[in-house]
C-alpha cells in the first residue's frame, strides 16, 4: 500500500527571515538545555557527594541515548498517523518530559527529604535520583532534537534546505551563548528566591521555561503534512540498523579515514565538553588565592564557582562563532562551498582576500592545525594556576572547535559528490578519487545532506527518512545519508571511551569526594596544590587529538 498524505507544510510569517526563525527557534531551546546540562550538572553532582570516577560513567548516557533513542524515535515518528503531524507531538511530549526532569534535578534534596528520613541513606537516594533525572533529560532531549531537525527537512523544499540549515546553525549558536550567559549572571540576585534559593535551581527553571517557549513558538508557527496511510515495506527500526551495519563494513576508504580521525578527535574533545566548567572552578578553589578571598562570604559557593566557569564558556562560544564565520574566508574551501568561492568586487575586504589568496591552506591542513592547537591548549591545562589563564585556554579552544564542527562534514560532502554524481571517474585501488566535473545541482544535494548533520553532544537524527532522502536525492549513490549517519556514530562511540578513561584517571588520582565542590555539613578543605585529575584527563585528550592530527596528515596525502 502506497503512502498517502493530507495537506501541505506551511510556516507562518510575513517574510522569509521570520519564517526561518520561527521554524528553527526550537533548536535554540534544545541547545540551551544541552549547554546547561553539560556545563553545570558535573559540579552539581560533585556537590551532592558523587565521586569523580562515578560521575564520569554518568556521562555515558549521552552517547548511548544518541545512538539508541534518536534512530528509534525517528523511525516511530516517520510512521506516525497523528492528525497533528509526525514531529510536533513528539516535540511537545519530549519537552514536557525534559522540563519535569529538570525540576526534579534542581530539587532532588527536597524531593528525597519528603520520602526518606534524614540519615546516611538520604544522600545516596539524592544522588540516585539526580542521576536518573539526568538520564531522563538526555533521552527526552534527544527525541526533541531528532524531531526538530526532521521538521526542518519535512517542511522546506529541497532548494531551501541549505538556507534552513544555515538558520538552524545560527539558532544553535544563540542557544549555546544564551545557556552559558544565563549561568554567568547572578540569577538569585535578579529573581530573589522566587524561582529557587540557589543558582542551580533557578537555572533549571529558566532552561525548562525557555525550552518550552521555543518549541511552542515553532509548533504554533509550523503546520505539517498529515500521513493518512503508510507503506510498511522496508521501513522501520530493523531496516535502519541493518542498513547501517551492512554499510559500515563497506565504506569508501577516504570516508573510513575521516571516521578514524573523528574517533580519536572526539576522545580528545569529550573531557573538554564535560569538565571545562569544573576545571575552571577547581583552578579557582585550588590555586587562585585572590579569587578565593572573594568567595569567603558567599552563601552559594557552588553557584559562584559555576558562574566563573560560565564566563569561560561564554567566551568559548563567542570565539567559536566568530571563527566559524571567519575561517571559511581564509581557507581554501571545497568546491561545493559556493558562498566562500564568490569573488568580492570592491572594498578593503576584496583587497585583503586578494592578498591572502596565494597563502590559503586547504581545509585538511587547517584541520590539522586545529588538532595541534587544541592539543597544545589541553597540555597547558596541567600548568594552569589562575582563573584568567584557565579561561584563556578554554576560550581559545573555540577556534579548533569551529574547525571540528565544519571540516569533517565538508570533506565527506566532497567525497559523496565524487562517489555519487554523474560523470565520476573510476575508483582507484588506494581508495582516493580523481577530480571530476561536478554538476551544480549535485552540489545542492550534498550541501543539503551535510547541513543536516551537527556536532553536538549526541548523534543527530538518523531514521528511515534519511534513507528515503538518500534514495530520492542521489540515484547513483543512494547511501549518502547513511554515510553521514555512520560518521556521526563515530563521533558518539569515542565519548564512551573518553568516559572510561576519565573513570580510570579519577579512580587513581582522586578516588574520594571532590573537596572543591563539597557542601553542607561535610565540607572538605580543597587542596592548595598537587595534580589536578581533570587537567590530566584534558592532557590525555590532547594526546588523542595529536593521534587525530597524525591520521589527518595521512588522509591529506591521499585526498
Amino acid at each position: 500500500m502506497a503512502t498517502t498524505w493530507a495537506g501541505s507544510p506551511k510556516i507562518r510569517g510575513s517574510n522569509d527571515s521570520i519564517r526561518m526563525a520561527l521554524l528553527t527557534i526550537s533548536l535554540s531551546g534544545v541547545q540551551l538545555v544541552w549547554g546547561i546540562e553539560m556545563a553545570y550538572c558535573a559540579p552539581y553532582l560533585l556537590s551532592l557527594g558523587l565521586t569523580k570516577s562515578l560521575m564520569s560513567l554518568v556521562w555515558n548516557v549521552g552517547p548511548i541515548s544518541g545512538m539508541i533513542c534518536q534512530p528509534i524515535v525517528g523511525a516511530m515518528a516517520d510512521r506516525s498517523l497523528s492528525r497533528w503531524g509526525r514531529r510536533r507531538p513528539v516535540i511537545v511530549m519530549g519537552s514536557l518530559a525534559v522540563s519535569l526532569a529538570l525540576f526534579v534535578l534542581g530539587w532532588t534534596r527536597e524531593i528525597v527529604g519528603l520520602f526518606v528520613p534524614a540519615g546516611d541513606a538520604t544522600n545516596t537516594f539524592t544522588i540516585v535520583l539526580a542521576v536518573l533525572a539526568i538520564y531522563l533529560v538526555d533521552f527526552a532531549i534527544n527525541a526533541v532534537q531528532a524531531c526538530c531537525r526532521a521538521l526542518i527537512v519535512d517542511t522546506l523544499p529541497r532548494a531551501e534546505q541549505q538556507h534552513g540549515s544555515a538558520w538552524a546553525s545560527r539558532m544553535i549558536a544563540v542557544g549555546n551563548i544564551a545557556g552559558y550567559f544565563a549561568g554567568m549572571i547572578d540569577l538569585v540576585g535578579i529573581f530573589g528566591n522566587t524561582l529557587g534559593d540557589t543558582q542551580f535551581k533557578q537555572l533549571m527553571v529558566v532552561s525548562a521555561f525557555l525550552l518550552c517557549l521555543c518549541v511552542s513558538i515553532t509548533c504554533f508557527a509550523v503546520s505539517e503534512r498529515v500521513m493518512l496511510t503508510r507503506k510498511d515495506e522496508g521501513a522501520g527500526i530493523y531496516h535502519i540498523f541493518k542498513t547501517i551495519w551492512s554499510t559500515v563494513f563497506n565504506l569508501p576508504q577516504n570516508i573510513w579515514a575521516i571516521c578514524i580521525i573523528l574517533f580519536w578527535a572526539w576522545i580528545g574533545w569529550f573531557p573538554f565538553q564535560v569538565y571545562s566548567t569544573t576545571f575552571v572552578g577547581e583552578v579557582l578553589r585550588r590555586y587562585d588565592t585572590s579569587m578565593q578571598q572573594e568567595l569567603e562570604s558567599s552563601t552559594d559557593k557552588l553557584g559562584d564557582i559555576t558562574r566563573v566557569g560560565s564566563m569561560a564558556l561564554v567566551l568559548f562560544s563567542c570565539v567559536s562563532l566568530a571563527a566559524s564565520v571567519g575561517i571559511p574566508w581564509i581557507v581554501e574551501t571545497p568546491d561545493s562551498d559556493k558562498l566562500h568561492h564568490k569573488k568580492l568586487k570592491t572594498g578593503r575586504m576584496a583587497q585583503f582576500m586578494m592578498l591572502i589568496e596565494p597563502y590559503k591552506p586547504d581545509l585538511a591542513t587547517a584541520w590539522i592545525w586545529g588538532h595541534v592547537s587544541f592539543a597544545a591548549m589541553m597540555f597547558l591545562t596541567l600548568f594552569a594556576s589562575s582563573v584568567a589563564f584557565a579561561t584563556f585556554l578554554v576560550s581559545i579552544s573555540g577556534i579548533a572547535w569551529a574547525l571540528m564542527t565544519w571540516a569533517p562534514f565538508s570533506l565527506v560532502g566532497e567525497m559523496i559528490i565524487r562517489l555519487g554524481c554523474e560523470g565520476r571517474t573510476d575508483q582507484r585501488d588506494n581508495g582516493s578519487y580523481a577530480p571530476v566535473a561536478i554538476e551544480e545541482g549535485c552540489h545542492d544535494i550534498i550541501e543539503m545532506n551535510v547541513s543536516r548533520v551537527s556536532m553536538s553532544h549526541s548523534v543527530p537524527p538518523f531514521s528511515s527518512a534519511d534513507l528515503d532522502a538518500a534514495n530520492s536525492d542521489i540515484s547513483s549513490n543512494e547511501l549518502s545519508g547513511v554515510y553521514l549517519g555512520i560518521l556521526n556514530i563515530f563521533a558518539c562511540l569515542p565519548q564512551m571511551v573518553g568516559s572510561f578513561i576519565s573513570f580510570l584517571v579519577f579512580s587513581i588520582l582522586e578516588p574520594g569526594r571532590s573537596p572543591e565542590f563539597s557542601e553542607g555539613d561535610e565540607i572538605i578543605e580543597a587542596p592548595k596544590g598537587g595534580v589536578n585529575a581533570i587537567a590530566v584527563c584534558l592532557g590525555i585528550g590532547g594526546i588523542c587529538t595529536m593521534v587525530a592530527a597524525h591520521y589527518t596528515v595521512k588522509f591529506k596525502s591521499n585526498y
Side-chain angles (χ1 to χ4, degrees):
M1 181 174 61
T3 302
T4 58
W5 302 86
S8 59
K10 298 178 182 178
I11 311 172
R12 291 180 171 86
S14 58
N15 58 55
D16 180 72
S17 296
I18 292 177
R19 286 191 290 270
M20 288 297 180
L22 293 175
L23 174 63
T24 58
I25 194 174
S26 57
L27 288 172
S28 290
V30 170
Q31 195 62 33
L32 183 143
V33 172
W34 274 126
I36 286 178
E37 182 197 26
M38 296 302 295
Y40 310 116
C41 284
Y44 178 66
L45 290 176
L46 293 175
S47 73
L48 294 179
L50 189 68
T51 63
K52 288 180 180 176
S53 55
L54 291 177
M55 182 194 67
S56 65
L57 298 180
V58 170
W59 299 117
N60 269 323
V61 69
I64 291 173
S65 63
M67 287 191 297
I68 296 175
C69 180
Q70 289 204 17
I72 292 176
V73 170
M76 294 175 62
D78 286 343
R79 297 162 62 83
S80 173
L81 302 178
S82 169
R83 68 189 183 94
W84 301 105
R86 297 186 298 168
R87 315 299 178 187
R88 289 181 298 169
V90 179
I91 292 174
V92 171
M93 290 186 292
S95 299
L96 292 176
V98 171
S99 300
L100 174 63
L102 291 174
F103 279 106
V104 171
L105 187 59
W107 278 265
T108 47
R109 286 192 177 97
E110 289 79 0
I111 294 173
V112 170
L114 294 175
F115 303 98
V116 180
D120 294 337
T122 304
N123 198 54
T124 301
F125 280 109
T126 301
I127 293 173
V128 170
L129 181 60
V131 171
L132 291 176
I134 289 176
Y135 283 6
L136 179 57
V137 169
D138 275 345
F139 277 91
I141 202 66
N142 265 297
V144 175
Q145 178 177 274
C147 289
C148 286
R149 289 192 169 275
L151 185 64
I152 297 172
V153 176
D154 291 349
T155 304
L156 298 177
R158 193 176 74 182
E160 293 292 321
Q161 290 288 336
Q162 181 74 0
H163 186 39
S165 294
W167 270 94
S169 298
R170 296 167 193 162
M171 290 299 181
I172 288 173
V174 169
N176 254 332
I177 295 175
Y180 297 145
F181 182 77
M184 185 185 71
I185 62 178
D186 184 4
L187 295 176
V188 177
I190 296 174
F191 298 109
N193 293 330
T194 306
L195 303 180
D197 56 0
T198 66
Q199 176 82 0
F200 185 77
K201 288 179 181 178
Q202 299 208 7
L203 271 177
M204 296 300 101
V205 175
V206 169
S207 58
F209 171 76
L210 291 178
L211 172 66
C212 291
L213 176 64
C214 290
V215 300
S216 297
I217 292 172
T218 293
C219 290
F220 173 76
V222 177
S223 299
E224 298 182 69
R225 288 192 305 170
V226 176
M227 182 187 291
L228 300 179
T229 59
R230 58 175 175 253
K231 180 181 179 181
D232 293 326
E233 298 178 2
I237 300 169
Y238 172 76
H239 178 57
I240 294 169
F241 285 106
K242 180 181 177 181
T243 304
I244 296 173
W245 183 261
S246 62
T247 306
V248 75
F249 293 104
N250 296 283
L251 286 174
Q253 190 169 338
N254 276 352
I255 294 181
W256 175 256
I258 293 178
C259 289
I260 298 301
I261 296 168
L262 270 184
F263 181 85
W264 285 102
W266 259 108
I267 296 178
W269 277 100
F270 174 78
F272 178 88
Q273 293 284 315
V274 176
Y275 304 125
S276 52
T277 302
T278 312
F279 164 69
V280 176
E282 288 202 354
V283 169
L284 187 158
R285 293 298 302 273
R286 288 190 179 205
Y287 313 117
D288 200 325
T289 54
S290 61
M291 293 202 68
Q292 288 172 10
Q293 296 174 359
E294 299 177 10
L295 290 178
E296 291 300 324
S297 60
S298 173
T299 58
D300 183 17
K301 290 187 178 181
L302 175 63
D304 291 336
I305 292 172
T306 54
R307 278 199 296 276
V308 173
S310 297
M311 170 61 77
L313 290 177
V314 169
L315 295 174
F316 166 81
S317 298
C318 293
V319 170
S320 177
L321 180 60
S324 65
V325 174
I327 288 178
W329 290 101
I330 60 175
V331 171
E332 191 63 40
T333 56
D335 294 336
S336 58
D337 188 353
K338 301 170 190 173
L339 173 63
H340 300 101
H341 277 284
K342 290 181 179 179
K343 300 294 183 181
L344 300 178
K345 297 179 180 180
T346 58
R348 293 184 179 179
M349 186 64 178
Q351 295 175 358
F352 174 74
M353 296 302 297
M354 290 179 63
L355 182 65
I356 67 171
E357 186 69 31
Y359 308 102
K360 281 186 176 182
D362 58 54
L363 183 54
T365 301
W367 197 17
I368 292 169
W369 285 108
H371 293 317
V372 173
S373 66
F374 178 70
M377 296 302 105
M378 295 305 98
F379 294 146
L380 288 173
T381 59
L382 294 165
F383 306 99
S385 59
S386 69
V387 170
F389 185 51
T391 299
F392 169 78
L393 296 177
V394 172
S395 303
I396 206 70
S397 299
I399 298 174
W401 179 246
L403 285 163
M404 181 70 177
T405 57
W406 170 46
F409 299 107
S410 184
L411 292 170
V412 168
E414 289 297 301
M415 300 294 176
I416 296 174
I417 289 174
R418 296 182 181 196
L419 286 169
C421 291
E422 295 181 1
R424 69 182 181 186
T425 58
D426 293 334
Q427 181 176 339
R428 296 178 182 174
D429 292 337
N430 65 358
S432 63
Y433 302 90
V436 294
I438 306 299
E439 294 182 5
E440 184 174 352
C442 203
H443 283 300
D444 293 336
I445 294 168
I446 300 302
E447 285 177 3
M448 181 194 74
N449 280 332
V450 173
S451 65
R452 292 168 63 184
V453 184
S454 168
M455 297 292 293
S456 65
H457 181 55
S458 64
V459 175
F462 184 69
S463 64
S464 58
D466 293 277
L467 305 183
D468 294 339
N471 290 331
S472 61
D473 287 341
I474 305 177
S475 59
S476 60
N477 186 13
E478 67 278 4
L479 294 177
S480 60
V482 183
Y483 289 153
L484 295 170
I486 292 172
L487 196 69
N488 282 276
I489 291 176
F490 274 85
C492 196
L493 289 174
Q495 296 180 47
M496 288 184 275
V497 178
S499 175
F500 182 70
I501 292 173
S502 300
F503 170 77
L504 294 178
V505 172
F506 292 141
S507 297
I508 295 171
L509 297 180
E510 296 185 19
R513 290 184 58 183
S514 175
E516 292 84 3
F517 296 94
S518 60
E519 288 188 337
D521 298 330
E522 300 182 16
I523 296 179
I524 307 171
E525 182 65 25
K528 301 304 180 183
V531 178
N532 186 328
I534 291 181
V536 172
C537 291
L538 295 173
I540 294 174
I543 295 173
C544 295
T545 308
M546 288 302 296
V547 176
H550 165 71
Y551 280 108
T552 310
V553 171
K554 291 182 64 176
F555 165 79
K556 181 178 181 295
S557 66
N558 294 323
Y559 177 53

